[in-house]
Amino acid sequence: LLTGLGNGFDVDRLDEVTASQFPLLVGGGVGTPPLYGLCKKLLAECKEPRVILGFNTAAEVFWQREFEVLGVPLTVTTADGTQGVKGFVTDAVVPLEGKYDYVYACGPEPMLRAVHALCEKQDIHGQFSFEERMACGVGACLGCVCKTTKKDAHSHVNNARICTDGPVFEAKEVEI
Ligand code: FES
């Protein structure tokens, strides 16, 4: 077991970039647990986070109670409508437009892509934590790259390794 690899969500960065007071935390499936510790940190910093968690079906919903105990506004979505809002996390994010000023997201790539597009549309900053299959976990195999918005001297897109450069990236530095 290799642990302690890569980076994590950065709470200080939120103040550096936007002085955000109302961060939105969006998690999909197994992207839920990383948001829990983050949510507690944000509350300790006197922020007012909202949380949206998305699952396929009611039987897969977990940690709802844990977030409720924190006392934060929480929306659960299920793709089949068996619990909470029917649909995907974006169905719960769109109605909140104007009520958040920074986004933390963790989940599968299609979810990140959809949330990223909403951030781009509103010019909102955030941090996205990527899920990826990792063969080595230490930056050697290049099996986990994602595209960044950074270009090299020849205008070629720079790739980043999710295992060592991430898994958390600034929303504006990645192409999803
Ligand atoms: Fe090998 Fe990331 S898993 S470089």
Side-chain angles (χ1 to χ4, degrees):
L1 176 69
L2 288 174
T3 186
L5 304 176
N7 62 5
F9 288 119
D10 185 345
V11 174
D12 298 333
R13 184 84 184 122
L14 171 145
D15 276 332
E16 286 166 24
V17 176
T18 61
S20 160
Q21 186 61 28
F22 305 103
L24 179 66
L25 281 53
V26 186
V30 295
T32 295
L35 301 182
Y36 180 69
L38 172 67
C39 191
K40 289 208 285 190
K41 269 192 197 170
L42 290 168
L43 288 169
E45 299 276 331
C46 299
K47 305 295 184 188
E48 298 179 44
R50 282 175 182 272
V51 179
I52 297 173
L53 302 176
F55 302 91
N56 289 317
T57 185
E60 295 179 5
V61 176
F62 68 102
W63 283 23
Q64 179 175 355
R65 180 79 193 122
E66 281 76 358
F67 279 97
E68 284 171 351
V69 166
L70 295 180
V72 294
L74 170 68
T75 305
V76 170
T77 70
T78 51
D80 64 0
T82 48
Q83 187 171 332
V85 174
K86 183 176 195 282
F88 299 108
V89 290
T90 43
D91 293 307
V93 174
V94 169
L96 292 178
E97 196 169 317
K99 295 191 174 142
Y100 59 93
D101 50 15
Y102 196 89
V103 172
Y104 290 98
C106 184
E109 190 168 323
M111 185 207 92
L112 294 183
R113 188 178 303 118
V115 176
H116 190 264
L118 293 175
C119 289
E120 290 278 286
K121 190 173 144 227
Q122 299 167 76
D123 196 24
I124 282 185
H125 290 261
Q127 295 173 38
F128 284 64
S129 182
F130 284 68
E131 293 173 357
E132 188 54 84
R133 288 170 191 263
M134 295 179 190
C136 74
V138 294
C141 73
L142 303 182
C144 67
V145 294
C146 67
K147 283 185 180 167
T148 75
T149 53
K150 295 174 184 164
K151 304 271 197 304
D152 66 16
H154 307 289
S155 294
H156 295 135
V157 171
N158 276 333
N159 290 327
R161 293 161 299 186
I162 291 172
C163 66
T164 48
D165 302 317
V168 177
F169 294 90
E170 295 275 335
K172 290 187 181 293
E173 75 180 27
V174 284
E175 291 181 5
I176 309 176

